[in-house]
Amino acid sequence: MKKALITGITGQDGSYLAELLLEKGYSVFGLVRRSSTLNFTRISHIQDSIELLSGDLSDQSSLVEALRYSMPDEVYNLAAQSFVQTSWHQPVFTGDVTALGVTRMLDAVKQVKDDIRFYQASSSEMFGKVREVPQSEKTPFYPRSPYGVAKVYGHWITVNYRESFNMFNCSGILFNHESPRRGYEFVTRKITHTVARIVQGLAEKLVLGNLEAKRDWGFAGDYVRAMWLMLQQDNPDDYVVATGRAHTVRNFVEHAFRAAGIPDIEWIGEGLEEKGINKSNGKTIVEVSKRFYRPAEVDMLIGNYQKAKTVLGWEPAYDFRRLVDTMVKNDMDSLKRT
């Protein structure tokens, strides 16, 4: 039986990955950081089937201990300070966990069992102010946030350990991937949850920042399958994981409201006329607020996943419409049950 250690197992990706590995017969260990606010909601249904170990990417000795205890065949490093907006307010913490934490884990692997197959969660935010469209594994990085900068470090230190010590290290450059398990602080879940609250009469409006930012949105359950496939190859490499299609935040909002049965939206806020957004006579309000704008915006991310398709045989199963419909339905059903 194969064994895997997942950092960030209580997060969106970690929970889907743990499910996948259990289905494939793995013994699954999850690294969790001691915290008064630790939330096991996403893994509660599989908690009896996995073993949780205490550890922290800021403490290398705890990583060594977790590896020695579990002796895994594969390590999936998904833990990070992963919210872009927070990275401007906590840049040092973001760098310590999201960047240096990768080095600590790689060095622990090298020390304990250097034939472990290692997956690093890289990010499309590394492309930032994009140098070409669409973005591939060969596109230069130009990060536009402390989070993006930290992810670039994590990516290159993974490559460096692979080339320096002949370790089986892979980086998945994942574009935005969402699900009903997405945190409420992320814009997609903020949209679908607020739409559901508006339908139930629990909220009056949705307040957002830049409506014109374009993202390549996929389903997290599809993307963890790509992670696993990377570590099953004969040779380690890096792969873009994406859908190849981009939509604006405004597109996401419009489709979410339609999925909830609300076709008309009244848009209010600065600069909407200049952006060609016409106000309607609808009763549902979306307000644009400058306080939700990023200090340095990433305008458009769209991935070229041809390499993953060719080498891994991977393709996304969910399209944009199905993803948004699924998230809206989940939030509406959840509110009805409460």
Side-chain angles (χ1 to χ4, degrees), residues 25-39:
Y26 280 65
S27 178
V28 176
F29 298 85
L31 193 75
V32 294
R33 183 169 56 93
R34 287 182 181 175
S35 169
S36 60
T37 59
L38 192 60
N39 187 344

Side-chain angles (χ1 to χ4, degrees), residues 219-249:
F219 174 54
D222 287 341
Y223 286 29
V224 299
R225 183 164 41 88
M227 299 176 190
W228 176 77
L229 285 168
M230 290 179 208
L231 298 196
Q232 311 316 306
Q233 305 306 304
D234 292 334
N235 299 302
D237 209 342
D238 307 320
Y239 298 87
V240 162
V241 181
T243 72
R245 295 180 179 273
H247 300 268
T248 64
V249 174

Side-chain angles (χ1 to χ4, degrees), residues 122-149:
S122 289
S123 169
S124 60
E125 287 287 334
M126 300 188 304
F127 295 121
K129 190 174 183 180
V130 298
R131 305 289 87 189
E132 65 178 2
V133 178
Q135 295 88 55
S136 72
E137 295 82 4
K138 296 181 179 180
T139 303
F141 300 137
Y142 194 144
R144 297 269 281 173
S145 67
Y147 170 78
V149 172

